[in-house]
Amino acid sequence: MFGIGKPKHHVVTSFSQACDLLARMGVEVAPRASAANSNSVIIRKNGLKWVFAGDTELFTVARVFEAPEGWSIDKLQSWMFAKNFVVVIHNPDEKTFILASHIIIEGGIILQNMARLVYNFDAYIIGFQSHMNLGKQHFKPLE
Amino acid sequence: MEVISKLTIAETIEAINDAGLHARRATLAGLGIPCAMGSRDGLDFQAYVQEGQSLCFQATIPFSVPGYTDVTNNWNGFQRFSKAMTVKEGYLMRFEADISHGITRGNLNALVRKFGEAIVTFRAMYLRQV
């Protein structure tokens, strides 16, 4: 049939390639201020922003929140149970939550799958914020 | 690079066997979802495709009491190839990959290998007494 064929798969194997392709797809990708963060960038979408970092094995998208007083570990864990692709870590020293999604890229990852997770991370941020009753004041600034 | 457009349990079983992790066909208890079951150093794990969108790996790491959240939090903070949660049987380890647009053969092999490594590393780090 005309016009119907196998979908073209674009395989991503490096962080710089991923950033380049995301930018070409129209994703707002900004460098981080610190030179020490050369293997990470900031993704912006609809007033939210998050970190996208990577090496040769793994990409990570993440956002850090201040943990409010009286938060519940059961509530945090129930969210992790319910959600694919994401993990939440509590840092007791910093009194923060780190919401993250890890994407193993070894062997090459399909661009569309990677882009979906990286670009739609705002949905996880909003969902987590709502589930844990976090306000705007709980977003830790990004460097 | 070889791309698998629509991953099947048969291909998942092949990848688990290629990693030397003794695959067999099984069904997820209580859910009736077909899965591939593998085993690494006596720890069983399941791999299944969820709604054609996600490749999910999971393993229960048995412990004498429900797991401790400080253990899972420590793991989740430092290990990136799986997440750990507490369950009444001990610990549940999971990892999910988005495969809605396919998966490369190399990535599938890496996921299988890394999840197998993760579950034995978790046991070695936290459950030496078991």
Side-chain angles (χ1 to χ4, degrees):
Chain A
M1 285 163 51
F2 293 110
I4 298 177
K6 283 189 173 180
K8 182 169 166 50
H9 295 104
H10 200 124
V11 177
V12 175
T13 55
S14 74
F15 182 65
S16 59
Q17 183 195 15
C19 291
D20 188 38
L21 289 168
L22 285 168
R24 279 199 233 170
M25 291 167 78
V27 177
E28 196 178 340
V29 180
R32 298 188 71 182
S34 166
N37 291 319
S38 61
N39 65 339
S40 68
V41 295
I42 290 173
I43 305 287
R44 290 199 184 96
K45 180 184 172 187
N46 298 335
L48 288 173
K49 53 187 176 180
W50 54 94
V51 170
F52 175 42
D55 57 31
T56 55
E57 282 190 308
L58 188 101
F59 293 166
T60 295
V61 279
R63 191 69 171 92
V64 182
F65 302 87
E66 185 184 316
E69 293 294 322
W71 65 277
S72 156
I73 185 74
D74 290 337
K75 201 168 179 184
L76 185 145
Q77 187 166 263
S78 73
W79 197 75
M80 271 204 288
F81 263 110
K83 298 291 178 186
N84 280 353
F85 311 124
V86 284
V87 63
V88 186
I89 304 119
H90 174 240
N91 182 333
D93 298 327
E94 304 278 338
K95 295 185 177 172
T96 54
F97 297 132
I98 303 159
L99 170 65
S101 179
H102 300 306
I103 306 162
I104 294 173
I105 66 146
E106 188 183 327
I109 183 169
I110 308 293
L111 170 65
Q112 292 95 326
N113 296 339
M114 185 274 296
R116 197 163 82 133
L117 283 171
V118 173
Y119 186 60
N120 293 332
F121 193 62
D122 58 328
Y124 292 102
I125 291 174
I126 292 164
F128 181 68
Q129 190 187 1
S130 169
H131 184 78
M132 297 300 286
N133 298 317
L134 302 174
K136 280 189 175 177
Q137 73 277 17
H138 293 110
F139 281 82
K140 298 288 279 185
L142 297 180
E143 295 162 21
Chain B
M1 277 178 203
E2 185 191 353
V3 174
I4 304 165
S5 294
K6 194 171 180 185
L7 183 67
T8 63
I9 290 300
E11 282 160 323
T12 310
I13 285 174
E14 188 184 325
I16 293 171
N17 277 331
D18 286 350
L21 301 182
H22 319 292
R24 59 197 182 276
R25 193 176 281 271
T27 304
L28 280 183
L31 297 174
I33 298 172
C35 71
M37 185 169 271
S39 184
R40 166 93 194 249
D41 297 348
L43 284 175
D44 286 343
F45 67 90
Q46 294 95 34
Y48 60 98
V49 177
Q50 196 174 44
E51 296 170 354
Q53 304 275 307
S54 315
L55 172 60
C56 308
F57 293 87
Q58 67 175 33
T60 300
I61 315 292
F63 193 47
S64 51
V65 294
Y68 298 108
T69 51
D70 55 347
V71 165
T72 55
N73 192 58
N74 181 271
W75 174 267
N76 293 334
F78 292 101
Q79 303 288 333
R80 303 175 299 171
F81 302 125
S82 64
K83 64 181 174 187
M85 293 167 285
T86 60
V87 289
K88 67 179 191 304
E89 300 88 356
Y91 297 95
L92 178 70
M93 312 232 1
R94 273 190 11 205
F95 188 85
E96 302 96 12
D98 188 337
I99 58 162
S100 46
H101 292 273
I103 185 170
T104 66
R105 178 83 59 190
N107 191 234
L108 173 63
N109 292 339
L111 295 178
V112 167
R113 193 184 71 251
K114 286 182 181 298
F115 191 76
E117 287 168 2
I119 58 178
V120 294
T121 303
F122 183 92
R123 182 175 62 180
M125 281 179 69
Y126 302 112
L127 306 176
R128 285 180 191 156
Q129 72 275 29
V130 175

